[in-house]
Amino acid sequence: MSARARLRLCALYPELMNIYADRGNLIFLERRCAWRGIELRYERRTIGEPLEGERYDIIYIGGGQDRDQRLCAEDLLAHKAAGLHAALAQGAVLLAVCGGYQLLGRSYEISPGDELPGVGIFGARTVRSAKRLIGNIAIEVQPQALGGLLGGAGQLSRGGRLLAGFENHAGRTLLDDGQAPLGRVVRGHGNDGASGFEGAVREGAIGTYLHGPLLPKNAWLADLLIARALRIDPRELQALTDDLERAAHACALRAAGVRAWV
Ligand code: GLN
């Protein structure tokens, strides 16, 4: 890999869609790139600004309150949807957390008759319920779910890989037939508290309910995103020491009641 590799990241609505320290995902990506001599250029696009999808290798949207999601929903359709689709079509990666994930499905119904339109990246719709789904969560990602991201590298260990985080959402996300989940719930609630599914994956796009922030607790996923954004095999990335990252991962799994197996 070239020592002068460069990636461009766009954060959508970072001032509105950033709860439970979701911003930490961006800092973590930037650090892991910098440690490897990869320049990660950060840009942001908010209400009223166009998203020029072809400019970016990584697009990110974090979680948000219903109130802020309402502000973003119309804007996503008006100013960002075409750019999001264009970015994915040219091989960019997209990470959407919780409220951001919900807005990238087909719709988010806040109450009967009050439905926010979604961008339709994921074949899913979300319906709000009175009872929130809250707590530490662990999921097992199926390697085939990440096939598009792995690029055939088969880098996941047997049995899939675990992701750990924290969830807090009133929305229940229901996947369409044929829409691949990100993984299966090991502990916690996931998309809807009933199906056993968590998140959604399409091409380079990942939607998930895991906050925490997600990436510092699951460094392997951060590296997968970086590799895919660079259009290289994840095994080509320079290895990092990762003692702290491994400890954070094990700690988050323990909080969810799961013992790490690697
Ligand atoms: N407002 C959404 C819900 O409650 C998303 C919350 C979040 O991003 N944590 O379902």
Side-chain angles (χ1 to χ4, degrees):
M1 193 188 65
S2 153
R4 292 170 55 221
R6 179 183 296 166
L7 291 174
R8 277 182 130 146
L9 180 148
C10 183
L12 295 178
Y13 318 107
E15 75 292 4
L16 295 171
M17 302 296 283
N18 168 45
I19 51 178
Y20 303 115
D22 285 341
R23 175 182 299 126
N25 290 323
L26 301 175
I27 298 168
F28 195 67
L29 286 172
E30 191 278 325
R31 285 289 83 203
R32 288 185 85 72
C33 284
W35 289 330
R36 293 171 166 130
I38 303 165
E39 181 188 345
L40 185 73
R41 285 200 185 169
Y42 171 84
E43 294 181 20
R44 50 193 286 163
R45 291 288 180 270
T46 190
I47 304 286
E49 297 174 345
L51 175 71
E52 315 87 334
E54 315 73 36
R55 282 169 65 92
Y56 302 109
D57 306 294
I58 306 177
I59 298 177
Y60 176 70
I61 179 167
Q65 315 282 357
D66 290 358
R67 184 185 56 236
D68 296 324
Q69 287 175 277
R70 193 183 292 283
L71 292 174
C72 297
E74 297 286 348
D75 186 80
L76 271 168
L77 280 185
H79 299 292
K80 315 283 191 293
L84 286 169
H85 286 286
L88 286 179
Q90 61 146 32
V93 297
L94 165 59
L95 177 62
V97 176
C98 200
Y101 164 41
Q102 293 171 343
L103 293 180
L104 296 194
R106 289 189 288 106
S107 58
Y108 175 31
E109 184 187 286
I110 293 184
S111 61
D114 180 11
E115 185 174 276
L116 303 182
V119 174
I121 302 276
F122 302 116
R125 70 188 185 93
T126 300
V127 178
R128 197 178 202 285
S129 169
K131 186 175 175 298
R132 300 192 73 80
L133 302 178
I134 306 176
N136 294 300
I137 173 170
I139 70 169
E140 183 179 355
V141 172
Q142 301 300 312
Q144 59 270 31
L146 292 181
L149 280 165
L150 286 166
Q155 176 242 25
L156 297 184
S157 62
R158 202 150 52 94
R161 281 282 194 106
L162 295 177
L163 289 175
F166 173 78
E167 61 182 327
N168 183 351
H169 50 109
R172 309 296 198 262
T173 296
L174 311 162
L175 301 182
D176 296 349
D177 286 346
Q179 170 60 64
L182 172 61
R184 294 233 167 228
V185 175
V186 179
R187 289 288 166 88
H189 303 287
N191 278 345
D192 59 3
S195 64
F197 292 140
E198 204 293 313
V201 183
R202 188 191 130 198
E203 299 168 16
I206 293 180
T208 179
Y209 273 109
L210 273 61
H211 295 281
L214 167 71
L215 297 180
K217 292 180 174 181
N218 302 281
W220 69 266
L221 182 63
D223 283 355
L224 209 57
L225 296 174
I226 292 169
R228 161 73 190 238
L230 288 166
R231 281 78 165 168
I232 62 168
D233 186 303
R235 290 169 295 194
E236 289 176 49
L237 280 179
Q238 181 193 328
L240 299 173
T241 309
D242 279 350
D243 292 343
L244 279 175
E245 288 77 0
R246 268 192 289 276
H249 184 62
C251 181
L253 285 172
R254 270 200 307 279
V258 175
R259 279 190 51 173
W261 83 79
V262 184

